[in-house]
Amino acid sequence: MTTAEPVTRTSPYQHYVYAYPHKTAYRPLSDRPLLAELWAGEPKDALSLYLHIPFCEVRCGFCNLFTRIGAPDGLTDAYLNALERQATAVRDALGEGPRFATAAFGGGTPTFLTAAELERLCDIAEHRMGADLRAVPLSVEASPATATSDRLAVLADRGATRLSLGVQSFVDAEARAAVRPQRRADVEAALGRVRETRIPVLNIDLIYGIDGQTEQTWLHSLDAALAWRPEELYLYPLYVRPLTGLGRRHPAPDSRTGGDPAWDEQRLTLYRAGRDHLLAHGYTQHSMRMFRRADAPPQGADDYACQTDGMIGLGCGARSYTSGLHYSFDYAVDMHQIRGIIDDYVAGDADGFARAQVGHRMTWAEARRRHLLQSLLQADGLCLDEYRDRFGSAPADDFGPELERFADRGWLTDADPAALRLTPEGLAHSDAVGPELFSPAVRTAMAAYERK
């Protein structure tokens, strides 16, 4: 008599895949290659520009982003000085003719900066990097507490086309449970100020899966957001990550070994309720997380493709992408470690900024995975002709076993012979689909990463 092998449950919540490879797969580059050499043969006619501000007024309990709470006197000025030195070095390395198709300020919280400092941030993007912020889509992240009238006026005047406000919940008790101290009255006041500036696109971020949240309170938050008729809504499942505030209080079960079935089911139930609610209110789904009002003004350049075009990241938490190397600075979650990395960045000189320091080298096989991931996790899916034109093969040739597993689970549809597309249930499981496509090399590097 034999004993059956135990069935290993796969949690639908493995990783939020917003970039591939994951930053925990990056390692120090011993050769520290010159940026001028990395970018010499790269197409530079449709680049994305990202400026990172690593400061927040508070740190939310779920946050594992690279950011520190507050800034001692003089630190934001010193940081902008370093950002300007880096921009000068990067612009010199790019040579003649780079064109930016999109721009974004993220963090942290870019609006942690004062209005005058935001003016300077825009000047760095325009005068040092050559980006015309009034001619390309410019997205800026903000928090309710820092979305003040003077800051918003600067952003509107300098060409911001999208303002993303991290609300997370309109229920005060849920905000406290997520360790995000805010009052709904303050959130509503901030939304009013954003609308007064007439920035074309307002995005509201909301989180589901918070302790104590119910379907009723979740729909209450959605309705409170819908009252402002935001052009976009992002619905994020709550993750409890190591070294975060929530992670220290209540460590979550490892999703790789099954996670917490009850919590997973709660998140899936809330996700489906939220998705259906937004679809019924005239929104279209663009990914597991992103919903856009059907009559919203378009965002994004017609000639920009995130699967193929390069990114220039400025700031100590920003990534940059060439076809052969993804690179950044060191990464941490622990506050003490973050402060040290910011201090090192602020002290950086032109020679250091002219070289890549930490990164992951991209092979042609990894480029295939990145293209598949960044296409398949969008509602529109992957265009088979574009994939074949770029790689000379079909996704089924390169990823047959993985795609067969997805199809067996009901996550792939064959309704469109020209595209590879997830079903609605496949989109719901995007955070399991994406990690399953990670290469063995990236998995190994991520597993060996020492958290700090």
Side-chain angles (χ1 to χ4, degrees), residues 235-256:
L235 310 185
Y236 289 93
L238 178 66
Y239 276 98
V240 177
R241 296 303 197 194
L243 304 181
T244 63
L246 289 178
R248 292 188 178 95
R249 292 183 182 187
H250 309 290
D254 192 335
S255 59
R256 294 168 297 181

Side-chain angles (χ1 to χ4, degrees), residues 44-304:
K44 297 186 282 285
D45 58 341
L47 297 173
S48 178
L49 178 64
Y50 177 78
L51 276 66
H52 180 258
I53 302 299
F55 306 109
C56 290
E57 74 276 14
V58 296
R59 185 162 193 172
C60 303
F62 52 83
C63 178
N64 69 340
L65 299 178
F66 185 91
T67 187
R68 64 164 290 167
I69 302 169
D73 287 346
L75 182 56
T76 54
D77 187 58
Y79 184 84
L80 290 172
N81 289 340
L83 196 69
E84 191 159 6
R85 292 196 301 274
Q86 184 191 8
T88 301
V90 170
R91 183 65 182 80
D92 289 345
L94 289 174
E96 295 298 323
R99 172 181 171 270
F100 293 97
T102 67
F105 301 158
T109 308
T111 49
F112 178 89
L113 300 178
T114 65
E117 289 170 335
L118 284 171
E119 289 274 17
R120 187 178 176 196
L121 186 69
C122 293
D123 285 344
I124 291 171
E126 291 195 335
H127 305 321
R128 293 294 180 181
M129 293 305 300
D132 187 348
L133 298 183
R134 293 179 178 83
V136 302
L138 170 61
S139 177
V140 184
E141 297 172 7
S143 67
T146 61
T148 58
S149 297
D150 58 340
R151 292 175 170 105
L152 294 171
V154 168
L155 295 174
D157 181 64
R158 298 302 292 263
T161 56
R162 178 179 183 272
L163 195 290
S164 181
L165 200 68
V167 173
Q168 320 316 348
S169 177
F170 283 86
V171 179
D172 289 354
E174 290 178 3
R176 290 193 298 271
V179 194
R180 184 180 179 85
Q182 66 185 21
R183 297 184 305 123
R184 176 173 175 175
D186 296 330
V187 171
E188 300 278 2
L191 286 165
R193 292 192 295 271
V194 174
R195 280 312 198 195
E196 287 172 1
T197 65
R198 301 188 182 278
I199 292 174
V201 173
L202 164 64
N203 172 69
I204 297 176
D205 288 344
L206 296 175
I207 286 180
Y208 55 93
I210 300 170
D211 188 31
Q213 190 176 50
T214 66
E215 187 170 337
Q216 181 180 12
T217 63
W218 172 231
L219 294 177
H220 174 76
S221 272
L222 285 168
D223 285 336
L226 288 171
W228 291 96
R229 300 197 73 241
E231 284 71 23
E232 293 178 3
L233 277 157
Y234 271 70
L235 310 185
Y236 289 93
L238 178 66
Y239 276 98
V240 177
R241 296 303 197 194
L243 304 181
T244 63
L246 289 178
R248 292 188 178 95
R249 292 183 182 187
H250 309 290
D254 192 335
S255 59
R256 294 168 297 181
T257 58
D260 181 340
W263 190 31
D264 286 348
E265 188 56 38
Q266 180 210 17
R267 285 181 285 182
L268 277 172
T269 297
L270 295 176
Y271 161 78
R272 292 170 182 139
R275 174 197 63 195
D276 295 347
H277 197 65
L278 294 184
L279 294 178
H281 281 77
Y283 285 75
T284 56
Q285 184 169 16
H286 290 256
S287 70
M288 172 187 170
R289 288 164 172 75
M290 180 187 173
F291 296 80
R292 174 171 262 269
R293 213 178 70 210
D295 61 346
Q299 281 284 292
D302 293 337
D303 59 350
Y304 180 77

